[in-house]
Amino acid sequence: MSELSRHNPRKGTLADLITTGLGYCCEAWFWAYFKDVSTGLVAARLGVSERAVRKRRALFKQGELVCQEKTKCLKKRVKES
């Protein structure tokens, strides 16, 4: 492991940026909630390529990224409001 990667607070994956970096409960909730936000805007805000965003969105749309039903699930909070 290089000196730079050891001290990097992000693991580098888009899922880690969404959950650890931004604090969302799971990637599936993020994509469902921000489904109408443009790919370019999401990519710019996360600091990743538009291609990476399109690939993860496609996985969500195909059903490969599902809600993890965590204790602090944001989906539950939205329903209660």
Side-chain angles (χ1 to χ4, degrees):
M1 178 179 286
S2 77
E3 186 66 26
L4 289 176
S5 64
R6 189 171 336 149
H7 298 293
N8 188 348
R10 298 187 283 173
K11 291 181 183 175
T13 68
L14 194 47
D16 287 329
L17 287 173
I18 292 168
T19 56
T20 306
L22 297 177
Y24 289 103
C25 55
C26 69
E27 193 178 0
W29 188 90
F30 177 87
W31 295 120
Y33 192 76
F34 294 108
K35 66 181 176 236
D36 295 329
V37 177
S38 75
T39 298
L41 181 58
V42 172
R45 295 287 176 127
L46 293 175
V48 298
S49 69
E50 289 185 23
R51 181 175 182 232
V53 171
R54 282 193 300 273
K55 287 174 76 174
R56 297 307 289 183
R57 267 197 172 144
L59 288 175
F60 172 71
K61 288 179 182 177
Q62 294 166 3
E64 293 188 36
L65 302 177
V66 296
C67 181
Q68 297 174 5
E69 302 290 334
K70 292 187 175 183
T71 307
K72 295 183 179 183
C73 180
L74 292 168
K75 182 172 69 173
K76 294 174 188 174
R77 285 194 215 167
V78 171
K79 285 182 182 179
E80 293 172 358
S81 308

